[in-house]
Amino acid sequence: MLPFILIFLFFSPRTSARCTTTTRTKTFEKCMTLPTQQASLAWTYHTHNATLDVVFFGSFISPSGWVGWGINPTSAEMTGTRSLIAFPDPNSGQLVLLPYILDPTVKLQKSPLLSRPLDHIHLLSSSATMYGGKLATIHDGAEVEIFASIKLSSNKSKIHIVWNRGVYVQGYSPTIHPTTVNDLSSATTIDLLSGVARHENDLKSLKIIHGVMNAISWGVMLPIGIVTSRYLRHIEALGPTWFYVHAGMQLSGFFIGSIGFAIGMRLGELSPGKVYGLHRKLGIIAVCLGSLQTLALLFRPKTTNKYRKYWKSYHHFVGYACVVIGVINVFQGFEAIEANRSYAKLAYCLCLSSLIGVCIALEVNSWVIFCRKAEEEKLRRDGVIAGSEKASGSFN
């Protein structure tokens, strides 16, 4: 049941800004809501002369900040983007729009970003206006519209666009934008004719598969495997069944988790600029511990072997460590995708809480049985139980 719940919650639509094709001065043919920052885009593509009329809708996050968007001639990434950036003029405070080229030195922050004419893109005209007209002021949350008319190649109907916003402008040089996941995912490729976008840096489907597989394996199956080993092995009626359930659950969980881990590594390769340091390190540690546990099965000594107790200590320590790190990393995954308040995390927390509740109940029950058996053993040693049985036999 949990896999279907998580998949449904991951795929559930999130609240986002709606796009519009109409501004105060112009109407466009198509529009699209962009995946981050509540931004959107509207455009009209004139196929007869390959001219693109476009408007970008964004919002400021600071009264002294900036908002910008641009086109990258080669790929949907920041480096190489030819951009238009709007911000308050440091002298007059009025909205100003200037062109910038985001070359590799910008990403390395080796020098201030300076305005210069755009190359590789034939910009016919551009302008920016605040939503609400001339009386609107620039403040946190203020909306801005950036217009542009661009001449494209006659055989080019797909464009790579990049957008972002920052909190401060030094003179006429916009400073670095925030580096959250959403800010680093502000790029997409749009087919101007169909209006379909391919979010190259988002890779939502792979993220969902990675998250669901790892939440189920490291976060649910492996803990259940430990529960079966700890509490079912003492039930004599089950015989060796508990062992097969335990081994099957752990091996299946590790196999699914390994696939999820491989998908995560692939996501890292396909998402340059995004670094989930702690999440990645915990994932590597969990997989290494899981591999050690799997290999340990090949060297499992017999119950009569003198080294059996050392193997059991190793097996317990590595197993518990693997599960604890796996569960912690599931929560790190929610934090990495900024889903700390998502329904998917709530569903996982409810599942984990239920499992912990079952463990507590079984642990209490085990201690009751243990104390009862210890009391009976003590009475047996003292001869109380045996004496009672003999007295009862003579009476009958």
Side-chain angles (χ1 to χ4, degrees), residues 254 285-299 311 314-315 318-319 322:
F254 177 67
I285 293 172
V287 169
C288 290
L289 291 176
S291 301
L292 290 175
Q293 280 291 77
T294 305
L295 292 174
L297 295 176
L298 303 176
F299 305 100
W311 182 90
Y314 158 83
H315 186 64
V318 176
C322 181

Side-chain angles (χ1 to χ4, degrees), residues 19 24 45 84 107 144 150 155 161 194 217 244 264 346 353 361:
C19 70
R24 291 187 301 110
Y45 181 53
L84 296 171
K107 191 172 184 179
V144 62
I150 303 168
N155 59 347
I161 69 165
S194 66
S217 56
Y244 298 118
L346 177 61
S353 300

Side-chain angles (χ1 to χ4, degrees), residues 114-174:
L114 302 177
S115 176
R116 51 177 164 155
L118 303 182
D119 56 6
H120 300 291
I121 289 180
H122 188 186
L123 181 64
L124 301 177
S125 63
S126 63
S127 63
T129 181
M130 298 297 298
Y131 181 79
K134 295 182 179 181
L135 297 179
T137 58
I138 299 175
H139 58 272
D140 184 5
E143 298 180 2
V144 62
E145 300 169 354
I146 301 177
F147 297 83
S149 183
I150 303 168
K151 177 73 172 180
L152 301 177
S153 302
S154 57
N155 59 347
K156 186 175 183 179
S157 63
K158 293 183 180 180
I159 59 171
H160 310 291
I161 69 165
V162 179
W163 66 97
N164 226 307
R165 55 192 182 181
V167 297
Y168 183 66
V169 177
Q170 186 174 7
Y172 289 90
S173 298

